[in-house]
Amino acid sequence: MSGEPDGGVRLPASLSGVEAVQSVRTPIRLEYDFRPSASAQSYLRAYAERRIIGHRSPVDGAVFIPPRGVDPRYGVAISEEVDLPDTGHVGNFCVTHLPIPGRKGLEVPYVSAWIHLDGAAVGFLGLVRGCPHDEVRIGMRIRAVWKPDDELEATPENIRHWEPTGEPDVPLERAGNRSFHASRPQTDGNTGGNADA
Amino acid sequence: MAKQHTAVLGVGQTKYQSTRGDVSMAGLVREAALRALVDAGLEWADVDAVVIGKAPDFFEGVMMPELYLADALGCVGKPILRVHTAGSVGGSTALVAASLIQGGIHRRVLTLGFEKQSESNATWALSLPQPFSVSINAGAGGYFSPIIRQYMARSGAPELIGCMVAFKDRQHALRNPYAHLHQHDLTFDQVVEAPMLWDPIRYSETCPSSDGACAMVLGDEAAGDAASGPVAWVHGTAMRSEANNFPGRDEVSPQASRDCAADVFRQAGISDPRAEIDVVEMYVPFSWYEPMWLESIGFAERDAGWRMVEEGATNLDGGDLPVNCSGGVLSSNPIGASGMIRFAEAALQVRGMAGDHQVDGARRALGHAYGGGAQYFAMWVVGADKP
Amino acid sequence: MREVAVVATALHQVPALTDTTEVQLMVPLLNAAREAVGLTQADIGFTCSGSSDFLAGQAFSFVQTLDAVGAFPPISESHVEMDGAFALYEAWVKLQIGEVDTALVFSYGKSSPGSLRDVLALQLDPYFLAPLWPPAEAIAALQARLLLEVGIVGAEELAEIAVRSQRNAVGNPNAVRSSREVTVADLMAEAPIADPLRPSDLAAESDGGCAVVLAAGDRARELCDRPAWIRGIDHRIDAHGLGTRDLTLAPSAALAASLACTAAGLEVDSLDLAELHSPTTSQEAILVRAFGLGGSTEVNPSGGALAGNTLMAAGLMRIAEAAGRIIDGRADRALAHATSGPCLQQNLVCVMAGD
């Protein structure tokens, strides 16, 4: 078997001396009209009222945000909505020195953090501002900075960013994903993750 | 019928580089496939089935490319499957191919992972905003660096451990002619002084974006026995997945990672991985994942993986558990192929065919891949001896 | 080969899913399939799914759908960017190895947010054909034109196929196009969309999902009174270039069927029914001939893909529809087929029996 990759293609005489095509630029454009699901609609409308909605699991009461209608641990549907406060702590974060393609007006570097709202069992991504980026810490207490009431729409972008409150930090061993275990007694191993994480 | 033995008969790779402007996608995959067939001493007609894998179709702008590539892969009249499990896809593709042999369905299977990300825009494809949510992650690094920050805080690891891994992998890559990055004059200080991208990850600690393909020919026991050259025997295979955002999740050492490793070592009869595995090819796209995966897989105790890095234990020269002698994902990253490159490099090691980056006397190796929000894991153990 | 059977199915198909995400669609289907045989996710040995990013308009779209499964504690799971029928094949292979006894297979598709005809153009040769953006119905029409010109099929037969689909679909809650009264004359009076194909010659687009539970040997007998045993399953592919093959034939379908029937030890004329994944009437005509289906085999009793073609799930749904009729005793022997790619390029055949 020869290792010749192209098998030695020969061009017809009429093409000798013709410059070979190196590449073809073929723009692709596809449009998708995404409609929010019923649970997403409820969530988005709540934002317009300066409310943050989560979904409470029927299995153990864990509150998920954003509300996606399912508890991913069990594949169980969730329909119970709960209001969450707009305060919490930084569960995790990174300082990014790259701009986001297509997003204007975001000064670099910026801090994107996993926001763990009080009462929520999981985090979601948000921007943290209001202090130098090298002062952001895991466990730092934060609150939402909302757009003015007359600018509120049905979108999570009503929250411009999250700022430190100045309260004492949540200790490392109870911050972020560890807060769930810290908030309840140890039962069986199925409630998730590593007990001492 | 019991589970059938599976052998790696041949490996083929393309030189990984940012743009392969000299070949179409078909040409790229065919190059790797042909090399694997030549290595295996086989012809296209000897292949019973093909299993290919790659990352999202947005990276090339071709929907379901196995349809288009069937001709180039000699697949007319044969079965072809296309696997997609995010970053772990190269590994899970190899596992699906192996299962066709293990299950006695086929005797010889060609498996291949590829990406020609120069054809589209990988950063764009990785940053597609989700509808109705705020997008604030500039790329995969933005997702993983907070997890790395958790690890650093929890383990107390010195700040430069990540730089040590990056420097090591780029040094290893100099001994792999297929690797994308060949940074001959790189110094450790240059790694440290590189600009921060997603603090604590620097530019120098991040994987490149590469075009490339990696192929293997897998065979059954008879094919393995009949091979004229050395083969690698599959000792264990495992896949695990978990949801990526749930209460109390251990994102630093996901349970799916620990369970997958435990399963693959159990199958291979390994009780002391650090002592019984000779070389590791693991999926490290951001430097700190080396100490993190060392712990999660079970080569080091919790919070102690960084000590192995610091001691040089994972160096090709002088280390007792060399990791990523090929240069790893940090040196070459055609996303759809990266997992398969790990599996293939593990096979090359135990076949004694890793050239200048060969670990002397390597007889058992681990190939590892992960993907998604550190939620998909695929691993195999290969050995020089039939299990 | 180890005996493997379909023991439970759940499917849902509608013209368009407006209020639910793919995750919310799949949660009840996955639960229904597992609960039908009393299994929890922890009991399932292997899970495999099929879906498409381009259909969803999202890279890594299948990652979110894992939330519907209940993947914690971690599960052994994989995914193909193909119709769920191929995910079922992968699960069948896994069961052949002998280390697990049950598998959960699912797939779904939501084409309503995007433009299916444009999305499918991206399956074509990326350098020479896709940049022309030929709509999917035009590609299928090329094949239909050949069939008519060569004289293999007459226009009336195409309309008869469409009528049969619509009539069979009556009473199928998952069919999106059905009619008791439609006649061949009605359909032949329709203006073509892509001559010679009329609207009724093309599958009705739909959104939906499907879940199937597989089990091996005695485990299948424990879980289900009358498992639909997969006696033969095979898939093959033809050349991609539309100009390089005879579009009036589907050799890969014929080959897959031949191999599956041989493995099953069954002749085609012993089949009670055949569920064919034919996105057009013309393709159904080709498949009927490729499989050698005769008068004693009922074709597409569910209405088939013409009555609702959920991309990425239509093939798995054919398997589910056929298996369901064996499980509930309406049939003894069935063939289910799935296709992928333009003009029946890739084909999977699954032959099932109640004994």
Side-chain angles (χ1 to χ4, degrees):
Chain A
M1 152 139 239
S2 101
E4 183 70 53
D6 63 1
V9 173
R10 280 192 187 74
L11 293 174
S14 58
L15 286 179
S16 71
V18 172
E19 189 185 340
V21 172
Q22 293 296 330
S23 67
V24 180
R25 189 161 191 79
T26 62
I28 294 174
R29 183 189 169 82
L30 293 170
E31 285 193 18
Y32 296 81
D33 183 14
F34 292 115
R35 306 283 164 104
S37 63
S39 52
Q41 287 177 41
S42 191
Y43 166 70
L44 295 172
R45 285 202 193 98
Y47 265 115
E49 297 166 15
R50 226 171 177 261
R51 292 165 57 220
I52 305 174
I53 296 286
H55 263 180
R56 195 203 307 275
S57 169
V59 179
D60 62 358
V63 176
F64 291 85
I65 171 155
R68 294 213 170 96
V70 65
D71 184 330
R73 299 167 295 175
Y74 307 104
V76 155
I78 303 181
S79 55
E80 185 189 348
E81 292 180 350
V82 295
D83 274 69
L84 288 165
D86 63 354
T87 55
H89 70 274
V90 170
N92 220 337
F93 72 97
C94 85
V95 184
T96 303
H97 298 254
L98 285 179
I100 297 176
R103 183 165 164 152
K104 305 183 189 29
L106 188 56
E107 264 180 43
V108 165
Y110 60 91
V111 178
S112 60
W114 286 92
I115 310 293
H116 282 252
L117 294 180
D118 298 321
V122 294
F124 60 91
L125 280 175
L127 274 177
V128 170
R129 287 197 169 127
C131 69
H133 60 79
D134 53 6
E135 285 178 22
V136 179
R137 324 162 285 282
I138 294 173
M140 185 171 87
R141 296 277 315 164
I142 39 136
R143 74 165 71 87
V145 174
W146 293 83
K147 285 185 181 168
D149 281 355
D150 58 359
E151 285 179 34
L152 294 181
E153 293 178 288
T155 165
E157 287 172 9
N158 286 340
I159 295 179
R160 286 213 164 99
H161 58 265
W162 301 80
E163 66 179 9
T165 66
E167 297 161 298
D169 285 3
V170 173
L172 196 64
E173 60 274 10
R174 293 211 303 273
N177 283 354
R178 279 160 283 182
S179 63
F180 181 70
H181 295 295
S183 69
R184 59 193 56 211
Q186 284 305 300
T187 50
D188 61 321
N190 277 6
T191 49
N194 195 331
D196 70 49
Chain B
M1 175 194 299
K3 185 173 178 178
Q4 300 293 293
H5 288 306
T6 303
V8 180
L9 309 174
V11 170
Q13 301 183 69
T14 64
K15 163 79 173 79
Y16 308 113
Q17 58 194 61
S18 50
T19 307
R20 280 295 304 270
D22 60 316
V23 286
S24 63
M25 279 173 266
L28 182 71
V29 303
R30 204 171 156 82
E31 192 174 289
L34 265 171
R35 288 185 180 149
L37 286 169
V38 168
D39 186 22
L42 295 173
E43 307 277 339
W44 290 106
D46 296 321
V47 171
D48 299 319
V50 177
V51 182
I52 76 170
K54 65 174 299 298
D57 293 346
F58 291 106
F59 286 148
E60 290 81 18
V62 181
M63 181 179 176
M64 300 167 72
E66 73 279 7
L67 300 167
Y68 152 65
L69 293 169
D71 308 48
L73 291 173
C75 221
V76 173
K78 297 180 186 178
I80 183 167
L81 290 174
R82 181 277 177 89
V83 180
H84 177 19
T85 59
S88 68
V89 65
S92 49
T93 299
L95 296 185
V96 172
S99 69
L100 287 169
I101 309 240
Q102 291 169 324
I105 316 298
H106 295 300
R107 295 201 52 226
R108 284 178 290 238
V109 177
L110 171 67
T111 184
L112 185 147
F114 82 98
E115 212 70 57
K116 199 163 190 281
Q117 25 200 99
S118 65
E119 304 250 327
S120 178
N121 184 327
T123 306
W124 162 81
L126 285 168
S127 314
L128 280 175
Q130 294 224 4
F132 317 117
S133 64
V134 184
S135 102
I136 35 179
N137 249 354
Y143 183 89
F144 294 115
S145 91
I147 301 176
I148 290 170
R149 185 178 293 277
Q150 283 271 344
Y151 174 72
M152 293 169 75
R154 195 187 74 192
S155 66
E159 192 204 324
L160 296 183
I161 292 293
C163 292
M164 295 177 72
V165 172
F167 184 66
K168 166 186 75 78
D169 280 5
R170 304 287 167 62
Q171 292 290 103
H172 287 174
L174 295 174
R175 293 151 78 160
N176 177 6
Y178 291 111
H180 177 166
L181 297 180
H182 282 151
Q183 297 169 321
H184 294 277
D185 301 323
L186 186 69
T187 67
F188 183 69
D189 285 345
Q190 284 171 336
V191 175
V192 175
E193 286 154 23
M196 276 293 179
L197 290 187
W198 308 276
D199 200 318
I201 303 174
R202 299 162 176 75
Y203 177 72
S204 53
E205 301 177 78
T206 304
C207 51
S209 170
S210 322
D211 283 354
C214 176
M216 291 190 283
V217 180
L218 305 184
D220 62 6
E221 185 172 4
D225 289 340
S228 54
V231 304
W233 293 97
V234 175
H235 287 213
T237 60
M239 278 197 273
R240 288 294 187 283
S241 310
E242 68 180 45
N244 65 20
N245 192 15
F246 59 86
R249 182 183 190 218
D250 182 347
E251 62 219 328
V252 172
S253 177
Q255 189 169 331
S257 163
R258 289 177 266 133
D259 289 357
C260 193
D263 188 7
V264 82
F265 287 142
R266 179 189 54 77
Q267 291 177 40
I270 290 172
S271 50
D272 183 353
R274 175 104 187 242
E276 299 177 63
I277 294 287
D278 301 317
V279 55
V280 182
E281 281 280 333
M282 61 163 73
Y283 201 106
V284 175
F286 303 102
S287 58
W288 280 90
Y289 267 91
E290 180 172 297
M292 289 160 67
W293 290 146
L294 286 170
E295 294 176 22
S296 190
I297 293 170
F299 291 118
E301 294 294 317
R302 195 178 173 84
D303 295 339
W306 60 269
R307 292 186 199 280
M308 284 181 67
V309 174
E310 201 179 50
E311 291 160 3
T314 60
N315 282 25
L316 171 53
D317 294 325
D320 68 287
L321 186 70
V323 173
N324 292 335
C325 305
S326 64
V329 178
L330 277 171
S331 304
S332 315
N333 190 22
I335 297 179
S338 284
M340 188 161 301
I341 298 170
R342 308 280 74 71
F343 279 41
E345 284 282 348
L348 286 172
Q349 288 283 349
V350 304
R351 293 169 74 202
M353 294 176 68
D356 287 343
H357 63 278
Q358 177 72 48
V359 171
D360 289 338
R363 296 197 72 75
R364 290 242 259 190
L366 172 74
H368 161 281
Y370 88 95
Q375 67 194 112
Y376 299 109
F377 295 88
M379 302 182 196
W380 82 357
V381 172
V382 287
D385 302 314
K386 196 188 299 187
Chain C
M1 290 285 108
R2 199 174 181 213
E3 287 189 297
V4 170
V6 174
V7 294
T9 65
L11 49 155
H12 182 67
Q13 189 168 253
V14 290
L17 282 167
T18 45
D19 268 2
T20 47
T21 62
E22 286 90 329
V23 173
Q24 293 166 327
L25 162 74
M26 291 312 303
V27 166
L29 292 177
L30 293 167
N31 282 310
R34 289 183 301 233
E35 281 160 23
V37 283
L39 295 176
T40 65
Q41 185 59 35
D43 300 322
I44 298 285
F46 179 67
T47 302
C48 197
S49 63
S51 68
S52 160
D53 282 344
F54 257 116
L55 183 66
Q58 284 283 307
F60 307 104
S61 55
F62 61 95
V63 173
Q64 284 183 66
T65 325
L66 188 63
D67 285 355
V69 177
F72 199 79
I75 59 176
S76 177
E77 176 268 348
S78 193
H79 170 264
V80 288
E81 191 88 347
M82 306 174 83
D83 189 292
F86 295 91
L88 183 140
Y89 180 82
E90 181 180 334
W92 176 84
V93 172
K94 191 78 173 177
L95 290 170
Q96 294 300 314
I97 296 174
E99 288 169 340
V100 298
D101 297 328
T102 56
L104 174 66
V105 178
F106 67 98
S107 68
Y108 54 91
K110 200 173 171 184
S111 50
S112 55
S115 166
L116 191 58
R117 63 208 295 267
D118 294 329
V119 166
L120 287 173
L122 295 175
Q123 282 183 344
L124 303 170
D125 183 299
Y127 301 100
F128 301 120
L129 194 48
L132 302 177
W133 287 97
E137 60 267 20
I139 298 292
L142 290 173
Q143 184 178 44
R145 169 62 55 203
L146 270 174
L147 281 178
L148 292 172
E149 299 275 330
V150 169
I152 293 173
V153 178
E156 210 167 289
E157 180 183 340
L158 298 184
E160 283 163 3
I161 291 172
V163 165
R164 185 180 62 231
S165 162
Q166 294 196 35
R167 291 196 186 156
N168 285 353
V170 172
N172 179 352
N174 293 303
V176 310
R177 181 166 68 199
S178 64
S179 166
R180 222 180 286 277
E181 303 86 19
V182 72
T183 65
V184 166
D186 293 334
L187 298 186
M188 291 189 73
E190 285 180 342
I193 277 189
D195 206 323
L197 295 177
R198 309 171 207 280
S200 55
D201 290 313
L202 303 173
E205 284 179 30
S206 51
D207 294 347
C210 183
V212 170
V213 177
L214 301 180
D218 288 339
R219 192 80 176 105
R221 292 181 183 91
E222 283 166 26
L223 296 175
C224 180
D225 288 335
R226 193 176 145 87
W229 296 102
I230 296 174
R231 293 293 180 212
I233 184 168
D234 194 273
H235 65 95
R236 304 279 150 172
I237 195 166
D238 289 316
H240 186 59
L242 296 173
T244 63
R245 54 186 165 105
D246 181 349
L247 293 179
T248 66
L249 303 171
S252 58
L255 179 56
S258 167
L259 291 165
C261 284
T262 300
L266 291 178
E267 300 291 331
V268 158
D269 54 22
S270 73
L271 295 168
D272 299 312
L273 66 94
E275 281 282 329
L276 308 181
H277 177 193
S278 43
T280 68
T281 53
S282 42
Q283 287 166 0
E284 185 161 317
I286 292 173
L287 290 168
V288 164
R289 285 159 177 79
F291 297 151
L293 296 175
S296 57
T297 305
E298 194 185 357
V299 176
N300 286 333
S302 70
L306 286 168
N309 187 24
T310 297
L311 198 72
M312 309 316 289
L316 185 64
M317 287 185 181
R318 303 282 68 73
I319 295 175
E321 291 279 8
R325 283 168 173 77
I326 291 177
I327 292 172
D328 68 18
R330 280 182 282 171
D332 292 317
R333 298 192 171 137
L335 179 152
H337 156 268
T339 195
S340 181
C343 296
L344 301 176
Q345 184 191 352
Q346 181 178 31
N347 295 280
L348 178 147
V349 172
C350 177
V351 175
M352 294 177 282
D355 53 15

